[in-house]
Amino acid sequence: MPGLIDAHWHTMLAAMPQAVAMTADLGYLYLAAAQEAQRTLLRGFTSVRDAGGPAFALKRAIDEGMVPGPRIYPSGAMVSQTSGHGDFRLRSEVPRAANEPLSLVERT
């Protein structure tokens, strides 16, 4: 039944567990996200609202016809509480000082 809209989808997290997303290479994450976008389209979802994460590159690739997938309406960076599903710090990490550089996940 094409034409479904998913209003809470995470481009970069839909295809894998959070632990993999936190430790894998960014290129691998985009390849996995593109594959999941195609599967999402085949399930009938022609539009998705990405509720947080780096979805802009995949959105562009889909819009330009490079890869099949649903129309993505990206939100950009996640807003999350400490230990929420948008908090990508490892359990072993201690809070950083305000003047330290951002982590890779925070920059992405």
Side-chain angles (χ1 to χ4, degrees):
M1 184 171 95
L4 297 172
I5 300 171
D6 189 336
H8 189 122
W9 194 68
H10 292 284
T11 301
M12 302 304 282
L13 296 174
M16 66 197 68
Q18 186 176 3
V20 173
M22 290 170 57
T23 57
D25 179 72
L26 189 58
Y28 171 80
L29 297 178
Y30 274 113
L31 291 170
Q35 185 180 44
E36 184 61 26
Q38 181 179 11
R39 288 195 295 258
T40 299
L41 181 64
L42 292 174
R43 287 192 296 270
F45 291 91
T46 56
S47 297
V48 296
R49 183 186 63 162
D50 184 276
F56 296 100
L58 181 58
K59 175 194 175 11
R60 182 175 178 177
I62 291 170
D63 290 349
E64 292 178 359
M66 294 175 66
V67 295
R71 198 174 299 111
I72 298 175
Y73 295 96
S75 298
M78 285 186 184
V79 176
S80 176
Q81 73 276 16
T82 301
S83 297
H85 70 278
D87 185 353
F88 286 94
R89 292 174 294 176
L90 298 173
R91 291 181 184 195
S92 60
E93 288 184 82
V94 296
R96 60 183 175 84
N99 61 346
E100 287 183 20
L102 298 174
S103 71
L104 174 63
V105 172
E106 290 169 321
R107 287 192 312 267
T108 304

